[in-house]
PDB file of all heavy atoms in Angstrom:
ATOM      1  N   ASP A 308     -18.422  77.938 -46.186  1.00  0.00           N
ATOM      2  CA  ASP A 308     -17.627  76.856 -45.712  1.00  0.00           C
ATOM      3  C   ASP A 308     -16.480  77.347 -44.855  1.00  0.00           C
ATOM      4  O   ASP A 308     -15.547  76.454 -44.603  1.00  0.00           O
ATOM      5  CB  ASP A 308     -17.084  76.094 -46.923  1.00  0.00           C
ATOM      6  CG  ASP A 308     -18.288  75.464 -47.765  1.00  0.00           C
ATOM      7  OD1 ASP A 308     -19.119  74.838 -47.122  1.00  0.00           O
ATOM      8  OD2 ASP A 308     -18.232  75.554 -48.940  1.00  0.00           O
ATOM      9  N   VAL A 309     -16.462  78.543 -44.379  1.00  0.00           N
ATOM     10  CA  VAL A 309     -15.388  79.019 -43.532  1.00  0.00           C
ATOM     11  C   VAL A 309     -15.441  78.328 -42.131  1.00  0.00           C
ATOM     12  O   VAL A 309     -16.475  78.201 -41.629  1.00  0.00           O
ATOM     13  CB  VAL A 309     -15.487  80.578 -43.426  1.00  0.00           C
ATOM     14  CG1 VAL A 309     -14.375  81.044 -42.387  1.00  0.00           C
ATOM     15  CG2 VAL A 309     -15.216  81.215 -44.770  1.00  0.00           C
ATOM     16  N   ARG A 310     -14.286  77.933 -41.624  1.00  0.00           N
ATOM     17  CA  ARG A 310     -14.216  77.323 -40.292  1.00  0.00           C
ATOM     18  C   ARG A 310     -14.490  78.470 -39.255  1.00  0.00           C
ATOM     19  O   ARG A 310     -13.902  79.490 -39.227  1.00  0.00           O
ATOM     20  CB  ARG A 310     -12.824  76.736 -40.117  1.00  0.00           C
ATOM     21  CG  ARG A 310     -12.827  75.698 -38.935  1.00  0.00           C
ATOM     22  CD  ARG A 310     -11.527  75.011 -38.884  1.00  0.00           C
ATOM     23  NE  ARG A 310     -10.416  75.844 -38.417  1.00  0.00           N
ATOM     24  CZ  ARG A 310      -9.335  76.190 -39.096  1.00  0.00           C
ATOM     25  NH1 ARG A 310      -9.180  75.708 -40.326  1.00  0.00           N
ATOM     26  NH2 ARG A 310      -8.424  76.969 -38.570  1.00  0.00           N
ATOM     27  N   THR A 311     -15.471  78.154 -38.365  1.00  0.00           N
ATOM     28  CA  THR A 311     -15.925  79.189 -37.443  1.00  0.00           C
ATOM     29  C   THR A 311     -14.893  79.468 -36.402  1.00  0.00           C
ATOM     30  O   THR A 311     -14.950  80.584 -35.823  1.00  0.00           O
ATOM     31  CB  THR A 311     -17.189  78.685 -36.769  1.00  0.00           C
ATOM     32  OG1 THR A 311     -17.034  77.437 -36.190  1.00  0.00           O
ATOM     33  CG2 THR A 311     -18.379  78.636 -37.791  1.00  0.00           C
ATOM     34  N   ASP A 312     -13.994  78.560 -36.086  1.00  0.00           N
ATOM     35  CA  ASP A 312     -12.966  78.800 -35.019  1.00  0.00           C
ATOM     36  C   ASP A 312     -11.696  79.424 -35.571  1.00  0.00           C
ATOM     37  O   ASP A 312     -10.743  79.501 -34.838  1.00  0.00           O
ATOM     38  CB  ASP A 312     -12.723  77.497 -34.251  1.00  0.00           C
ATOM     39  CG  ASP A 312     -12.113  76.374 -35.155  1.00  0.00           C
ATOM     40  OD1 ASP A 312     -12.193  76.520 -36.394  1.00  0.00           O
ATOM     41  OD2 ASP A 312     -11.595  75.463 -34.590  1.00  0.00           O
ATOM     42  N   GLY A 313     -11.718  79.690 -36.869  1.00  0.00           N
ATOM     43  CA  GLY A 313     -10.462  80.290 -37.502  1.00  0.00           C
ATOM     44  C   GLY A 313     -10.638  81.762 -37.658  1.00  0.00           C
ATOM     45  O   GLY A 313     -11.622  82.354 -37.473  1.00  0.00           O
ATOM     46  N   ARG A 314      -9.551  82.351 -38.046  1.00  0.00           N
ATOM     47  CA  ARG A 314      -9.487  83.883 -38.203  1.00  0.00           C
ATOM     48  C   ARG A 314      -9.112  84.139 -39.671  1.00  0.00           C
ATOM     49  O   ARG A 314      -8.074  83.664 -40.153  1.00  0.00           O
ATOM     50  CB  ARG A 314      -8.461  84.426 -37.263  1.00  0.00           C
ATOM     51  CG  ARG A 314      -8.435  86.016 -37.315  1.00  0.00           C
ATOM     52  CD  ARG A 314      -7.578  86.505 -36.186  1.00  0.00           C
ATOM     53  NE  ARG A 314      -7.352  87.972 -36.313  1.00  0.00           N
ATOM     54  CZ  ARG A 314      -6.282  88.526 -36.898  1.00  0.00           C
ATOM     55  NH1 ARG A 314      -5.311  87.797 -37.424  1.00  0.00           N
ATOM     56  NH2 ARG A 314      -6.163  89.866 -36.970  1.00  0.00           N
ATOM     57  N   ILE A 315      -9.871  84.954 -40.307  1.00  0.00           N
ATOM     58  CA  ILE A 315      -9.614  85.401 -41.668  1.00  0.00           C
ATOM     59  C   ILE A 315      -8.589  86.519 -41.591  1.00  0.00           C
ATOM     60  O   ILE A 315      -8.743  87.480 -40.840  1.00  0.00           O
ATOM     61  CB  ILE A 315     -10.865  85.823 -42.407  1.00  0.00           C
ATOM     62  CG1 ILE A 315     -11.798  84.649 -42.489  1.00  0.00           C
ATOM     63  CG2 ILE A 315     -10.565  86.382 -43.754  1.00  0.00           C
ATOM     64  CD1 ILE A 315     -13.138  84.943 -43.036  1.00  0.00           C
ATOM     65  N   THR A 316      -7.518  86.487 -42.405  1.00  0.00           N
ATOM     66  CA  THR A 316      -6.547  87.597 -42.469  1.00  0.00           C
ATOM     67  C   THR A 316      -6.240  87.986 -43.919  1.00  0.00           C
ATOM     68  O   THR A 316      -6.281  87.105 -44.808  1.00  0.00           O
ATOM     69  CB  THR A 316      -5.270  87.148 -41.854  1.00  0.00           C
ATOM     70  OG1 THR A 316      -4.718  85.929 -42.507  1.00  0.00           O
ATOM     71  CG2 THR A 316      -5.397  86.773 -40.374  1.00  0.00           C
ATOM     72  N   THR A 317      -6.105  89.235 -44.153  1.00  0.00           N
ATOM     73  CA  THR A 317      -5.714  89.769 -45.467  1.00  0.00           C
ATOM     74  C   THR A 317      -4.473  90.670 -45.328  1.00  0.00           C
ATOM     75  O   THR A 317      -4.497  91.589 -44.521  1.00  0.00           O
ATOM     76  CB  THR A 317      -6.904  90.501 -46.086  1.00  0.00           C
ATOM     77  OG1 THR A 317      -7.988  89.707 -46.282  1.00  0.00           O
ATOM     78  CG2 THR A 317      -6.470  91.068 -47.472  1.00  0.00           C
ATOM     79  N   LEU A 318      -3.440  90.333 -46.074  1.00  0.00           N
ATOM     80  CA  LEU A 318      -2.255  91.094 -45.970  1.00  0.00           C
ATOM     81  C   LEU A 318      -1.965  91.829 -47.289  1.00  0.00           C
ATOM     82  O   LEU A 318      -2.265  91.304 -48.451  1.00  0.00           O
ATOM     83  CB  LEU A 318      -1.027  90.114 -45.685  1.00  0.00           C
ATOM     84  CG  LEU A 318      -1.193  89.226 -44.395  1.00  0.00           C
ATOM     85  CD1 LEU A 318       0.043  88.284 -44.411  1.00  0.00           C
ATOM     86  CD2 LEU A 318      -1.201  90.137 -43.186  1.00  0.00           C
ATOM     87  N   TYR A 319      -1.423  92.958 -47.166  1.00  0.00           N
ATOM     88  CA  TYR A 319      -0.990  93.753 -48.272  1.00  0.00           C
ATOM     89  C   TYR A 319       0.506  93.481 -48.559  1.00  0.00           C
ATOM     90  O   TYR A 319       1.384  93.644 -47.790  1.00  0.00           O
ATOM     91  CB  TYR A 319      -1.156  95.302 -48.016  1.00  0.00           C
ATOM     92  CG  TYR A 319      -0.623  96.155 -49.107  1.00  0.00           C
ATOM     93  CD1 TYR A 319      -0.990  95.992 -50.392  1.00  0.00           C
ATOM     94  CD2 TYR A 319       0.172  97.316 -48.789  1.00  0.00           C
ATOM     95  CE1 TYR A 319      -0.505  96.827 -51.435  1.00  0.00           C
ATOM     96  CE2 TYR A 319       0.608  98.129 -49.788  1.00  0.00           C
ATOM     97  CZ  TYR A 319       0.237  97.884 -51.033  1.00  0.00           C
ATOM     98  OH  TYR A 319       0.721  98.707 -52.128  1.00  0.00           O
ATOM     99  N   LEU A 320       0.729  92.884 -49.769  1.00  0.00           N
ATOM    100  CA  LEU A 320       2.023  92.379 -50.085  1.00  0.00           C
ATOM    101  C   LEU A 320       2.892  93.444 -50.815  1.00  0.00           C
ATOM    102  O   LEU A 320       4.064  93.160 -51.083  1.00  0.00           O
ATOM    103  CB  LEU A 320       1.933  91.143 -50.951  1.00  0.00           C
ATOM    104  CG  LEU A 320       1.161  89.982 -50.433  1.00  0.00           C
ATOM    105  CD1 LEU A 320       1.129  88.761 -51.393  1.00  0.00           C
ATOM    106  CD2 LEU A 320       1.661  89.560 -49.039  1.00  0.00           C
ATOM    107  N   GLY A 321       2.371  94.580 -50.954  1.00  0.00           N
ATOM    108  CA  GLY A 321       3.066  95.678 -51.666  1.00  0.00           C
ATOM    109  C   GLY A 321       2.731  95.670 -53.121  1.00  0.00           C
ATOM    110  O   GLY A 321       2.246  94.729 -53.679  1.00  0.00           O
ATOM    111  N   GLY A 322       2.906  96.783 -53.788  1.00  0.00           N
ATOM    112  CA  GLY A 322       2.650  96.971 -55.151  1.00  0.00           C
ATOM    113  C   GLY A 322       1.095  96.919 -55.341  1.00  0.00           C
ATOM    114  O   GLY A 322       0.354  97.848 -54.901  1.00  0.00           O
ATOM    115  N   ALA A 323       0.587  95.857 -55.933  1.00  0.00           N
ATOM    116  CA  ALA A 323      -0.877  95.703 -56.206  1.00  0.00           C
ATOM    117  C   ALA A 323      -1.324  94.389 -55.715  1.00  0.00           C
ATOM    118  O   ALA A 323      -2.399  93.999 -56.015  1.00  0.00           O
ATOM    119  CB  ALA A 323      -1.124  95.768 -57.689  1.00  0.00           C
ATOM    120  N   GLU A 324      -0.552  93.672 -54.909  1.00  0.00           N
ATOM    121  CA  GLU A 324      -0.895  92.265 -54.454  1.00  0.00           C
ATOM    122  C   GLU A 324      -1.458  92.168 -53.059  1.00  0.00           C
ATOM    123  O   GLU A 324      -0.801  92.917 -52.197  1.00  0.00           O
ATOM    124  CB  GLU A 324       0.306  91.309 -54.642  1.00  0.00           C
ATOM    125  CG  GLU A 324       0.659  90.995 -56.054  1.00  0.00           C
ATOM    126  CD  GLU A 324       1.698  89.816 -56.111  1.00  0.00           C
ATOM    127  OE1 GLU A 324       2.375  89.701 -55.100  1.00  0.00           O
ATOM    128  OE2 GLU A 324       1.834  89.252 -57.186  1.00  0.00           O
ATOM    129  N   TYR A 325      -2.391  91.376 -52.841  1.00  0.00           N
ATOM    130  CA  TYR A 325      -2.996  91.149 -51.520  1.00  0.00           C
ATOM    131  C   TYR A 325      -3.124  89.634 -51.335  1.00  0.00           C
ATOM    132  O   TYR A 325      -3.598  88.976 -52.290  1.00  0.00           O
ATOM    133  CB  TYR A 325      -4.317  91.862 -51.443  1.00  0.00           C
ATOM    134  CG  TYR A 325      -4.294  93.341 -51.546  1.00  0.00           C
ATOM    135  CD1 TYR A 325      -4.198  93.960 -52.808  1.00  0.00           C
ATOM    136  CD2 TYR A 325      -4.219  94.148 -50.399  1.00  0.00           C
ATOM    137  CE1 TYR A 325      -4.095  95.389 -52.946  1.00  0.00           C
ATOM    138  CE2 TYR A 325      -4.102  95.539 -50.509  1.00  0.00           C
ATOM    139  CZ  TYR A 325      -4.085  96.137 -51.794  1.00  0.00           C
ATOM    140  OH  TYR A 325      -3.982  97.488 -51.873  1.00  0.00           O
ATOM    141  N   GLU A 326      -2.890  89.207 -50.143  1.00  0.00           N
ATOM    142  CA  GLU A 326      -3.026  87.710 -49.813  1.00  0.00           C
ATOM    143  C   GLU A 326      -4.068  87.573 -48.770  1.00  0.00           C
ATOM    144  O   GLU A 326      -4.017  88.125 -47.680  1.00  0.00           O
ATOM    145  CB  GLU A 326      -1.669  87.254 -49.354  1.00  0.00           C
ATOM    146  CG  GLU A 326      -1.701  85.713 -48.989  1.00  0.00           C
ATOM    147  CD  GLU A 326      -0.323  85.346 -48.441  1.00  0.00           C
ATOM    148  OE1 GLU A 326      -0.170  85.382 -47.103  1.00  0.00           O
ATOM    149  OE2 GLU A 326       0.467  84.852 -49.241  1.00  0.00           O
ATOM    150  N   THR A 327      -5.084  86.760 -49.053  1.00  0.00           N
ATOM    151  CA  THR A 327      -6.113  86.471 -48.097  1.00  0.00           C
ATOM    152  C   THR A 327      -6.059  84.958 -47.665  1.00  0.00           C
ATOM    153  O   THR A 327      -5.940  84.110 -48.518  1.00  0.00           O
ATOM    154  CB  THR A 327      -7.532  86.721 -48.755  1.00  0.00           C
ATOM    155  OG1 THR A 327      -7.635  87.964 -49.255  1.00  0.00           O
ATOM    156  CG2 THR A 327      -8.651  86.437 -47.771  1.00  0.00           C
ATOM    157  N   SER A 328      -6.012  84.741 -46.351  1.00  0.00           N
ATOM    158  CA  SER A 328      -5.981  83.389 -45.801  1.00  0.00           C
ATOM    159  C   SER A 328      -7.295  83.095 -45.158  1.00  0.00           C
ATOM    160  O   SER A 328      -7.765  83.760 -44.291  1.00  0.00           O
ATOM    161  CB  SER A 328      -4.828  83.354 -44.748  1.00  0.00           C
ATOM    162  OG  SER A 328      -4.700  82.142 -44.193  1.00  0.00           O
ATOM    163  N   ILE A 329      -7.872  81.938 -45.649  1.00  0.00           N
ATOM    164  CA  ILE A 329      -9.242  81.526 -45.240  1.00  0.00           C
ATOM    165  C   ILE A 329      -9.159  80.224 -44.593  1.00  0.00           C
ATOM    166  O   ILE A 329      -8.774  79.208 -45.176  1.00  0.00           O
ATOM    167  CB  ILE A 329     -10.154  81.440 -46.446  1.00  0.00           C
ATOM    168  CG1 ILE A 329     -10.076  82.785 -47.229  1.00  0.00           C
ATOM    169  CG2 ILE A 329     -11.574  81.205 -46.081  1.00  0.00           C
ATOM    170  CD1 ILE A 329     -10.798  82.728 -48.562  1.00  0.00           C
ATOM    171  N   PRO A 330      -9.580  80.112 -43.299  1.00  0.00           N
ATOM    172  CA  PRO A 330      -9.571  78.758 -42.560  1.00  0.00           C
ATOM    173  C   PRO A 330     -10.787  77.960 -43.134  1.00  0.00           C
ATOM    174  O   PRO A 330     -11.948  78.407 -43.070  1.00  0.00           O
ATOM    175  CB  PRO A 330      -9.832  79.135 -41.095  1.00  0.00           C
ATOM    176  CG  PRO A 330     -10.460  80.541 -41.115  1.00  0.00           C
ATOM    177  CD  PRO A 330     -10.087  81.250 -42.403  1.00  0.00           C
ATOM    178  N   LEU A 331     -10.497  76.681 -43.441  1.00  0.00           N
ATOM    179  CA  LEU A 331     -11.500  75.779 -43.972  1.00  0.00           C
ATOM    180  C   LEU A 331     -11.481  74.503 -43.120  1.00  0.00           C
ATOM    181  O   LEU A 331     -10.413  74.152 -42.542  1.00  0.00           O
ATOM    182  CB  LEU A 331     -11.314  75.454 -45.420  1.00  0.00           C
ATOM    183  CG  LEU A 331     -11.328  76.616 -46.417  1.00  0.00           C
ATOM    184  CD1 LEU A 331     -11.090  76.200 -47.825  1.00  0.00           C
ATOM    185  CD2 LEU A 331     -12.682  77.323 -46.348  1.00  0.00           C
ATOM    186  N   TYR A 332     -12.533  73.708 -43.200  1.00  0.00           N
ATOM    187  CA  TYR A 332     -12.584  72.509 -42.421  1.00  0.00           C
ATOM    188  C   TYR A 332     -11.817  71.400 -43.071  1.00  0.00           C
ATOM    189  O   TYR A 332     -11.215  70.484 -42.457  1.00  0.00           O
ATOM    190  CB  TYR A 332     -14.071  72.030 -42.246  1.00  0.00           C
ATOM    191  CG  TYR A 332     -14.782  72.874 -41.251  1.00  0.00           C
ATOM    192  CD1 TYR A 332     -15.700  73.815 -41.818  1.00  0.00           C
ATOM    193  CD2 TYR A 332     -14.704  72.761 -39.916  1.00  0.00           C
ATOM    194  CE1 TYR A 332     -16.420  74.636 -40.916  1.00  0.00           C
ATOM    195  CE2 TYR A 332     -15.386  73.577 -39.065  1.00  0.00           C
ATOM    196  CZ  TYR A 332     -16.330  74.520 -39.560  1.00  0.00           C
ATOM    197  OH  TYR A 332     -16.978  75.295 -38.697  1.00  0.00           O
ATOM    198  N   THR A 333     -11.707  71.417 -44.455  1.00  0.00           N
ATOM    199  CA  THR A 333     -11.078  70.303 -45.164  1.00  0.00           C
ATOM    200  C   THR A 333     -10.556  70.855 -46.508  1.00  0.00           C
ATOM    201  O   THR A 333     -11.161  71.686 -47.105  1.00  0.00           O
ATOM    202  CB  THR A 333     -11.975  69.127 -45.406  1.00  0.00           C
ATOM    203  OG1 THR A 333     -11.372  68.187 -46.289  1.00  0.00           O
ATOM    204  CG2 THR A 333     -13.305  69.577 -45.989  1.00  0.00           C
ATOM    205  N   PRO A 334      -9.417  70.356 -47.068  1.00  0.00           N
ATOM    206  CA  PRO A 334      -8.908  70.713 -48.295  1.00  0.00           C
ATOM    207  C   PRO A 334      -9.882  70.390 -49.428  1.00  0.00           C
ATOM    208  O   PRO A 334      -9.755  70.895 -50.525  1.00  0.00           O
ATOM    209  CB  PRO A 334      -7.590  69.934 -48.444  1.00  0.00           C
ATOM    210  CG  PRO A 334      -7.134  69.715 -47.037  1.00  0.00           C
ATOM    211  CD  PRO A 334      -8.503  69.431 -46.273  1.00  0.00           C
ATOM    212  N   ALA A 335     -10.796  69.430 -49.171  1.00  0.00           N
ATOM    213  CA  ALA A 335     -11.822  69.071 -50.218  1.00  0.00           C
ATOM    214  C   ALA A 335     -12.611  70.303 -50.693  1.00  0.00           C
ATOM    215  O   ALA A 335     -13.141  70.280 -51.768  1.00  0.00           O
ATOM    216  CB  ALA A 335     -12.737  68.042 -49.696  1.00  0.00           C
TER     217      ALA A 335
END
Side-chain angles (χ1 to χ4, degrees):
D308 298 311
V309 174
R310 199 173 69 242
T311 55
D312 60 345
R314 181 171 175 265
I315 297 170
T316 58
T317 300
L318 302 177
Y319 176 47
L320 303 181
E324 287 190 342
Y325 297 82
E326 181 183 85
T327 304
S328 179
I329 307 171
L331 301 178
Y332 289 102
T333 168

